[in-house]
């Protein structure tokens, strides 16, 4: 599968937000990763609905919304109306998983479930045919710039399970988020991930476009 990159604006300069969005667009990244935190599901508070709405229709990038909030179901319609193309929520949140997926789908938005490092692969299996994407967290959600945790086994297990059990035409997207850089990208791609979220590595880079290219480079161990 082709590797895609989703740039986390958690590491962007808030005072330069508009320019940062242009920089992401020019970098060749497919998506903008928008981390929403409510101070309850995680110990941090970030962006909400108005800032997302300000980007709606203003960028060619896919708006990839990652909800780290306790009651995602309550806000699905608001984030969809504000321009989300993909809505990811956590299986560990307080909302009913099946109901939340259905609510996202009703809005015509791509639906994804996410699991924290301590949640096993099996937690996503019941929803394998109902989601477009699974997000495997490679750090504890809450903050950018944390150290990568190797979730290769979990990613491979989900990829294998989807290969066997998914009956929908579109292949499952597997996204990873947390500590992704030039070194860790190869590990997660070889395990079966095809969408890489990256924040601090890309914003730290002297040239974001070069860094995006590096993340996409084919370094598979089983290339034919
Ligand atoms: C963490 C967020 C991530 C974060 C990744 O809870 O979900 O999207 O921005 O940042 P880096 O790439 O710096 O680990
Ligand atoms: Zn995220």
């Amino acid at each position: 599968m082709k590797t895609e990159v989703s740039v986390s604006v958690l590491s962007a300069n808030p005072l330069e937000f508009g320019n940062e969005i242009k920089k992401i667009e020019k970098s060749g990244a497919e998506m903008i990763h928008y981390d929403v935190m409510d101070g309850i599901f995680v110990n941090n508070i970030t962006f909400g609905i108005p800032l997302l709405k300000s980007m709606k229709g203003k960028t060619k990038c896919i708006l990839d919304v990652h909800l780290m909030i306790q009651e995602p179901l309550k806000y699905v319609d608001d984030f969809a109306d504000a321009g989300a193309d993909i809505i990811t929520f956590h299986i560990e949140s307080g909302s009913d998983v099946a109901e939340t997926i259905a609510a996202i789908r009703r809005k015509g938005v791509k639906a994804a479930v996410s699991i924290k490092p301590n949640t096993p692969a099996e937690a996503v299996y019941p929803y394998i045919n109902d989601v477009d994407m699974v997000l495997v967290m490679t750090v504890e959600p809450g903050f950018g710039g944390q150290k990568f945790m190797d979730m290769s086994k979990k990613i491979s297990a989900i990829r294998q399970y989807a290969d066997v059990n998914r009956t929908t035409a579109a292949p499952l997207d597997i996204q990873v988020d947390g500590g992704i850089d030039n070194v860790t990208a190869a590990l997660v791609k070889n395990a079966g991930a095809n969408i890489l979220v990256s924040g601090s590595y890309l914003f730290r880079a002297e040239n974001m476009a070069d860094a995006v290219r590096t993340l996409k480079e084919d370094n598979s161990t089983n290339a034919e």
Side-chain angles (χ1 to χ4, degrees):
M1 271 169 110
K2 192 177 137 258
T3 301
E4 298 190 338
V5 171
S6 190
V7 184
S8 176
V9 286
L10 195 57
S11 294
N13 177 355
L15 275 179
E16 293 288 336
F17 205 74
N19 289 330
E20 299 281 59
I21 297 304
K22 283 185 200 140
K23 182 174 161 185
I24 294 171
E25 228 173 47
K26 282 192 201 133
S27 75
E30 287 79 2
M31 304 182 185
I32 292 172
H33 186 81
Y34 189 81
D35 284 312
V36 180
M37 305 186 191
D38 64 354
I40 299 167
F41 184 73
V42 290
N43 289 322
N44 197 5
I45 298 178
T46 54
F47 330 107
I49 294 150
L51 184 64
L52 181 67
K53 207 170 169 185
S54 76
M55 287 190 272
K56 186 180 178 179
K58 300 273 166 54
T59 170
K60 291 193 294 277
C61 290
I62 292 162
L63 295 175
D64 167 35
V65 174
H66 178 193
L67 299 179
M68 284 159 277
I69 64 177
Q70 190 55 28
E71 291 191 68
L73 180 56
K74 205 168 149 185
Y75 298 98
V76 163
D77 287 4
D78 290 336
F79 281 102
D81 292 340
D85 297 302
I86 304 173
I87 295 180
T88 302
F89 69 97
H90 275 265
I91 270 186
E92 306 89 351
S93 76
S95 295
D96 182 84
V97 178
E99 260 185 71
T100 308
I101 293 171
I104 298 170
R105 292 215 164 286
R106 269 200 302 277
K107 296 297 281 182
V109 170
K110 286 193 171 181
V113 286
S114 180
I115 45 175
K116 298 201 275 185
N118 289 329
T119 304
E122 290 75 18
V124 305
Y125 293 174
Y127 313 104
I128 210 78
N129 277 305
D130 306 322
V131 293
D132 298 283
M133 182 174 90
V134 169
L135 165 53
V136 176
M137 292 301 300
T138 39
V139 296
E140 277 302 329
F143 298 89
Q146 300 185 77
K147 196 174 174 295
F148 174 81
M149 297 162 83
D150 192 0
M151 296 288 140
S152 296
K153 280 198 185 125
K154 197 195 279 192
I155 297 164
S156 308
I158 296 170
R159 178 58 74 206
Q160 275 168 32
Y161 187 85
D163 283 349
V164 175
N165 297 287
R166 194 164 152 95
T167 52
T168 53
L172 180 76
D173 285 318
I174 301 185
Q175 187 178 59
V176 284
D177 183 10
I180 301 299
D181 60 21
N182 52 329
V183 176
T184 58
L187 295 174
V188 293
K189 285 191 286 184
N190 283 326
N194 66 305
I195 304 180
L196 312 187
V197 175
S198 182
S200 46
Y201 167 70
L202 293 177
F203 280 98
R204 229 183 14 235
E206 219 165 280
N207 183 320
M208 189 185 274
D210 286 346
V212 167
R213 229 169 287 130
T214 303
L215 293 182
K216 290 184 182 183
E217 253 162 35
D218 184 11
N219 35 25
S220 58
T221 49
N222 52 6
E224 283 165 38

